[in-house]
Amino acid sequence: IHLFNLSINKSAENVRTDSIQSRVKTLNDWHTLAVYNNTCRGLFEKHKLLFAFHMCVRILQAKSEINLDEYTFFLKGGQVFDKESQTPNPCPQWLSEKSWDNIYELDKLLAFHGMASSFEGLPGQWREFYL
């Protein structure tokens, strides 16, 4: 409760407004920063970036500004359920089967549609980028 009250008091000191929306946004911003700062005090340095990333994702989710399918793919990778219907790896010399599985599954997401066929059509350019 102390942290919440501190956020209310500090935000009121720095921003004066008559708009309720502006006041709520200011309170949210100050409280988010206070939670971040106080949580980081108890984290090891190597964990702070992961915490900041997690906080950022949660804020974007609350605003509906993050694609949940893409985020889930980022966390878990692609899950191949029917390997027989999958196109064979076009670049087995330098691209592992696991990587090809992920590319093939990533291709199913709208924002990345066409990536697998791009690997099939332009393997030399992808090899330069990949290696």
Side-chain angles (χ1 to χ4, degrees), residues 92-106:
Q93 304 83 7
W94 57 270
L95 187 64
S96 71
E97 284 302 315
K98 185 171 177 75
S99 295
W100 175 245
D101 290 346
N102 281 317
I103 291 166
Y104 192 79
E105 292 300 311
L106 184 64

Side-chain angles (χ1 to χ4, degrees), residues 68-80 98 102:
L68 191 56
D69 292 333
E70 292 172 8
Y71 181 62
T72 302
F73 185 90
F74 172 75
L75 292 177
K76 298 179 182 178
Q79 309 231 326
V80 180
K98 185 171 177 75
N102 281 317

Side-chain angles (χ1 to χ4, degrees), residues 4 25 41 49-50 52 64 71 80 93 104 121 125 128-129:
F4 184 72
K25 183 184 178 331
R41 285 183 189 156
L49 184 60
L50 183 61
S64 298
Y71 181 62
V80 180
Q93 304 83 7
Y104 192 79
Q125 290 179 1
E128 283 181 39
F129 178 78

Side-chain angles (χ1 to χ4, degrees), residues 80 82-89 97 100-101 104-105:
V80 180
D82 187 13
K83 192 96 164 143
E84 293 174 5
S85 67
Q86 180 177 322
T87 308
N89 183 349
E97 284 302 315
W100 175 245
D101 290 346
Y104 192 79
E105 292 300 311

